[in-house]
Structures are given as structure tokens and as C-alpha cells.
């Protein structure tokens, strides 16, 4: 039986290109499994579901090695589990050297293993570069004053009066939040900022 596996790093990315290439390899749509999450490890729901279906001599197709994963050691270990323990074949479509159905002699195995190591290293290096670029982008945006996350709710017009009542223990936290029409946690966060500022 032939199976395909596709992966994108987040839910807003599109897996269509991988789907098209896998279907060109004559894999039924129902036999293609897709995860939308990081390749840092193999703790992925669709991948784990796929592995449970695999039987000896089945063939697993992926478009490229980085779709299988982006962690050097994890890829090496998973490759051995799939090919040695489960006894399946793996075909990496964009790298013909990584097709375990071919070149099963000593030299062929050596070349395939070496290729796997190099590509696994490249996949992890690219993952690290992506994370570094994201961090640099966030730091640059923050330096320009760009704020991330939801905008802070402005203080209601009566906030300081209610805060003083609460701070003087004249009303409860629940009552204070209700008077300001805020969630209890929101009121407390705002009140704590004022208290911390006053205590400096």
C-alpha cells in the first residue's frame, strides 16, 4: 500500500503543492495524511495515525525530507524506526537518492545514509534560521514601538475612583470590577499596575 505524508508549519499555510506532487505519485487522496504544525518532533496527530496503519513493504512518500521533520536526531531515529522496525520503504520525491526501494547494496545504502544525514542537518539548520529571523523581526518591530497581542482595554472614566474604594477596602474586587464593567482579572491587572507604580 502506498501512503503520503504532508506537513506545513502552521494552519495558515497551504499544503496544496505537496498534495499535488503526492497525487502525481499515484497516491489516493484518502491515503495522504496532513499535519499543520512544527517539524521539531514527531508528536503529531496525523503522522501518528499514519504510522499505526503502516505494514511491512508499504511505501511512504514525502515531497522533501523537511516535510518529514526538521530535527536532525529525530529524523535519523524515525527513519530507522520506519525502515528497520516497521519494515516499510520511504520515497522522498525531490531527492531520488532517498528512495529505499533502490540501491540496496552496501554502496547504495552508504550513499542514502550519507544523503539523509546531510539533508537532515540542512532541515534543522533552516528551522533554526527561521526561528532566528522571526526573533529578529519581532525585536525590530518592538524597537519601532509596534505592540503585539490584543490592544489594552482603556480605563473606564470612573476607574480611579473605584480603584481608590477597592484599595481602601471599601468594596470587594468583584464589586469594583462590576462598577467598571470589567472582568475581575482585567480590573485586578490594571489595579496592580497602579499599585506597583505607587509603591516604587
Amino acid at each position: 500500500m502506498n501512503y503520503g505524508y504532508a506537513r506545513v508549519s502552521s494552519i495558515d499555510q497551504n499544503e496544496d503543492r505537496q498534495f499535488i506532487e503526492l497525487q502525481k505519485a499515484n497516491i489516493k487522496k484518502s491515503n495522504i495524511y496532513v499535519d499543520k504544525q512544527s517539524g521539531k518532533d514527531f508528536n503529531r496527530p496525523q503522522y501518528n495515525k499514519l504510522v499505526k496503519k503502516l505494514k511491512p513493504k508499504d511505501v511512504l512518500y514525502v515531497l522533501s525530507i523537511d516535510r518529514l521533520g526538521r530535527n536532525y536526531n529525530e529524523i535519523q531515529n524515525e527513519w530507522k524506526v520506519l525502515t528497520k522496525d516497521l519494515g516499510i520503504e520511504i520515497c522522498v520525491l525531490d531527492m531520488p537518492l532517498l528512495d529505499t526501494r533502490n540501491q540496496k547494496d552496501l554502496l547504495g545504502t552508504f550513499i542514502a545514509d550519507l544523503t539523509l544525514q546531510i539533508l537532515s542537518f540542512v532541515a534543522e539548520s533552516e528551522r533554526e534560521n527561521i526561528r532566528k529571523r522571526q526573533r529578529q523581526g519581532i525585536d525590530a518591530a518592538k524597537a519601532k514601538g509596534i505592540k503585539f497581542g490584543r490592544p489594552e482595554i482603556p480605563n473606564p472614566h470612573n476607574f480611579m475612583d473605584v480603584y481608590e474604594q477597592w484599595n481602601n477596602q471599601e468594596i470587594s474586587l468583584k464589586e469594583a470590577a462590576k462598577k467598571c464593567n470589567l472582568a475581575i482579572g482585567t480590573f485586578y491587572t490594571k489595579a496592580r499596575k497602579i499599585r506597583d507604580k505607587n509603591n516604587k
Side-chain angles (χ1 to χ4, degrees):
M1 184 75 75
N2 293 342
Y3 293 93
Y5 179 71
R7 183 188 65 79
V8 289
S9 298
S10 61
I11 58 173
D12 60 342
Q13 291 182 329
N14 195 306
E15 69 278 6
D16 287 353
R17 183 175 67 92
Q18 295 175 67
F19 248 102
I20 291 168
E21 294 302 318
L22 290 169
Q23 288 182 312
K24 282 181 184 176
N26 295 319
I27 302 167
K28 294 189 298 184
K29 189 174 180 180
S30 59
N31 281 358
I32 298 176
Y33 291 74
V34 182
D35 278 308
K36 296 194 174 190
Q37 66 184 81
S38 166
K40 65 180 181 178
D41 58 41
F42 285 89
N43 186 23
R44 308 176 215 141
Q46 291 302 307
Y47 179 80
N48 291 330
K49 187 185 288 189
L50 167 61
V51 169
K52 288 178 182 177
K53 282 184 170 286
L54 295 173
K55 296 181 176 61
K57 305 302 180 185
D58 284 345
V59 183
L60 173 59
Y61 290 80
V62 292
L63 178 57
S64 57
I65 197 67
D66 63 352
R67 297 306 86 201
L68 189 62
R70 280 192 180 275
N71 179 296
Y72 179 83
N73 289 325
E74 294 268 356
I75 294 172
Q76 302 289 316
N77 293 335
E78 195 68 15
W79 189 277
K80 288 175 183 174
V81 168
L82 293 171
T83 58
K84 307 297 183 190
D85 298 349
L86 297 182
I88 71 158
E89 306 286 358
I90 303 176
C91 175
V92 180
L93 292 172
D94 70 355
M95 181 53 62
L97 285 173
L98 291 180
D99 186 340
T100 60
R101 298 168 298 178
N102 302 330
Q103 300 176 331
K104 290 189 176 286
D105 60 356
L106 186 60
L107 179 60
T109 300
F110 170 75
I111 292 172
D113 287 347
L114 187 60
T115 304
L116 176 63
Q117 288 183 41
I118 293 169
L119 292 180
S120 301
F121 172 78
V122 170
E124 179 162 348
S125 296
E126 178 59 20
R127 175 172 166 256
E128 291 302 316
N129 287 336
I130 289 170
R131 290 173 64 188
K132 185 178 179 181
R133 289 193 295 269
Q134 287 174 337
R135 184 73 259 164
Q136 289 171 338
I138 291 170
D139 289 344
K142 284 182 176 179
K144 290 179 180 178
I146 297 172
K147 294 184 178 180
F148 293 86
R150 289 183 295 182
E152 186 176 349
I153 298 170
N155 289 346
H157 69 280
N158 64 337
F159 182 80
M160 288 308 300
D161 290 337
V162 175
Y163 166 77
E164 291 295 342
Q165 293 175 35
W166 170 75
N167 195 44
N168 294 331
Q169 299 182 346
E170 296 170 13
I171 58 174
S172 68
L173 177 62
K174 185 176 180 181
E175 289 172 321
K178 188 174 181 181
K179 281 190 174 189
C180 289
N181 198 27
L182 294 171
I184 292 174
T186 303
F187 178 88
Y188 182 75
T189 300
K190 288 176 173 294
R192 190 178 59 191
K193 284 182 181 177
I194 294 172
R195 182 182 280 175
D196 291 345
K197 186 178 179 181
N198 292 339
N199 289 337
K200 281 186 178 179

